[in-house]
Amino acid sequence: MKTWVPAVAVWGRTAPSHSITAVMITDDQQTIVTGSQEGQICLWDLSSDLKISSKEILFGHTASVTCLAKARE
């Protein structure tokens, strides 16, 4: 069962900058993952009609995210 969880903005009126330095798409082609120069990782939903919407933003890296890779099963 897939549970839908809405994205929540916690940064007030202005979103943090996100200068993309790395991009990855999942095998099911439904999620795009971006890494940024600011050390953030963002998850984006990709619909079948190619609309992109924000899902989550992850903070905590102290350096730029310059590479993304999926874990092996």
Side-chain angles (χ1 to χ4, degrees):
M1 181 174 86
K2 186 174 180 180
T3 304
W4 184 78
V5 179
V8 177
V10 294
W11 48 74
R13 292 178 184 230
T14 306
S17 61
H18 187 73
S19 303
I20 295 174
T21 53
V23 177
M24 182 185 78
I25 190 164
T26 57
D27 290 338
D28 63 6
Q29 299 181 352
Q30 294 182 358
T31 303
I32 297 172
V33 183
T34 58
S36 76
Q37 186 175 8
E38 296 80 19
Q40 305 154 356
I41 295 175
C42 292
L43 304 177
W44 309 86
D45 281 328
L46 178 60
S47 68
S48 58
D49 59 346
L50 301 180
K51 291 186 180 177
I52 299 171
S53 58
S54 63
K55 187 175 181 178
E56 293 183 64
I57 186 167
L58 310 171
F59 297 91
H61 289 85
T62 56
S64 296
V65 177
T66 57
C67 183
L68 296 166
K70 69 175 193 136
R72 294 183 185 213
E73 294 182 18

